[in-house]
Amino acid sequence: MKTKSRNNIFRKSTSPQPEKRKKGVLFIVSAPSGAGKTTLCMRIIKTVDNLKMSVSFTTRQPRFGEVNDLDYTFISKQEFQSMIKRKEFVEWAEVHGNLYGTSRKRLNNLLNAGFDVLLDIDTQGAGQIKESCREGVFIFILPPSMKILRERLENRKSNTKEDMEKRLKNALKEIKNYNRYDYVIINSDLKLSVKMLEAVIISERLRSIKIDKNHIKRILI
Ligand code: 5GP
């Protein structure tokens, strides 16, 4: 990365987190398709230490270049339904005609290991996490305008026209849910949005309630 010095600031200031905290913090990031959320999440994973993304399960077909178990775990509808029955998802939803879900086991393994976890999920899934009373920090990414959102979706050669119209229609519905989130980032400039997201993550890590009391005891010895 070009911004080596800035990275170092974040790495040094946050690296003792696993010793300080018992369990990781859950960050839920939602946005309408085309708002730039996935790019933003990919960047943040590289710049902030101790932060992991949970790999979701989906029935969607892999796009060109996507790797199984890295971008998603690609499964059949039947396998997905069986996982629902076995209650293996903390949340799941049908998005743009495909099923997506977060594995309870994968998420808990990461959080219990002390990692902070970023979930890149839609507004329905975020709502389910909120209702389940899981502690989490809810972040919503907005496009600067609907015109720009349409342009971004048009530039995605992998989407059919029909799929694009579906995503735009869903975007209007999703944006109305923005006030159910703790933070809103308007993604007009990627670099700036990365900084804002980093700021949210670092601030949440520093909440006194999230510090392991044993760490404070060790300071007092
Ligand atoms: P895409 O097909 O473009 O990768 O993702 C479509 C939408 O599904 C995005 O809004 C993405 O955040 C959402 N999504 C991805 N994984 C999950 C998941 O595990 N649960 C839910 N509810 N939505 C997901």
Side-chain angles (χ1 to χ4, degrees):
M1 278 285 299
K2 259 193 279 171
T3 51
K4 203 164 180 261
S5 56
R6 189 179 53 123
N7 273 354
N8 285 346
I9 292 168
F10 280 106
R11 288 186 190 284
K12 277 184 189 153
S13 61
T14 63
S15 59
Q17 292 303 315
E19 294 91 63
K20 269 203 253 172
R21 289 185 285 106
K22 282 175 279 192
K23 214 176 162 191
V25 184
L26 180 59
F27 294 95
I28 298 101
V29 183
S30 301
S33 188
K37 173 188 50 168
T38 306
T39 315
L40 196 52
C41 289
M42 293 303 183
R43 290 278 177 100
I44 213 80
I45 287 294
K46 287 188 189 147
T47 62
V48 178
D49 69 317
N50 200 49
L51 181 68
K52 303 255 184 205
M53 278 187 84
S54 169
V55 178
S56 295
F57 285 79
T58 185
T59 61
R60 159 164 92 55
Q61 287 300 308
R63 292 192 188 119
F64 181 74
E66 282 184 331
V67 179
N68 190 41
D69 288 338
L70 196 66
D71 297 290
Y72 284 104
T73 297
F74 298 97
I75 57 172
S76 67
K77 219 167 177 175
Q78 210 176 359
E79 286 173 288
F80 200 99
Q81 301 288 4
S82 306
M83 287 181 76
I84 296 175
K85 273 199 197 130
R86 296 196 298 266
K87 300 199 182 326
E88 289 184 33
F89 294 121
V90 271
E91 64 73 34
W92 68 271
E94 184 174 333
V95 191
H96 317 309
N98 295 301
L99 300 171
Y100 296 82
T102 304
S103 151
R104 190 183 306 280
K105 194 170 159 197
R106 284 183 183 175
L107 178 62
N108 287 341
N109 282 350
L110 289 170
L111 290 172
N112 292 337
F115 290 110
D116 290 343
V117 180
L118 200 64
L119 291 186
D120 167 348
I121 61 174
D122 87 313
T123 50
Q124 305 169 73
Q128 289 171 37
I129 300 232
K130 202 156 209 182
E131 278 157 28
S132 71
C133 298
R134 251 181 198 264
E135 270 184 42
V137 180
F138 293 79
I139 306 159
F140 198 72
I141 314 292
L142 275 174
S145 68
M146 289 308 285
K147 185 173 170 275
I148 291 177
L149 190 74
R150 176 177 276 276
E151 281 167 14
R152 286 180 186 167
L153 287 175
E154 277 170 355
N155 287 337
R156 265 193 204 171
K157 304 282 180 255
S158 54
N159 289 344
T160 60
K161 183 127 185 72
E162 191 195 356
D163 185 57
M164 195 192 77
E165 292 303 333
K166 207 189 284 175
R167 282 170 191 256
L168 277 170
K169 215 170 128 195
N170 281 349
L172 288 173
K173 264 196 263 164
E174 286 169 333
I175 290 172
K176 287 186 186 142
N177 283 316
Y178 82 92
N179 55 359
R180 300 189 66 197
Y181 288 73
D182 302 309
Y183 297 92
V184 173
I185 294 175
I186 299 175
N187 186 21
S188 41
D189 176 279
L190 183 63
K191 261 192 190 164
L192 190 62
S193 302
V194 170
K195 275 191 187 166
M196 289 193 272
L197 190 50
E198 279 173 350
V200 169
I201 293 170
I202 306 307
S203 313
E204 288 293 333
R205 282 180 173 182
L206 298 176
R207 278 184 183 274
S208 59
I209 199 162
K210 286 174 184 150
I211 306 279
D212 185 346
K213 286 193 183 76
N214 290 325
H215 188 81
I216 306 294
K217 276 186 197 157
R218 281 198 293 276
I219 291 173
L220 295 175
I221 290 170

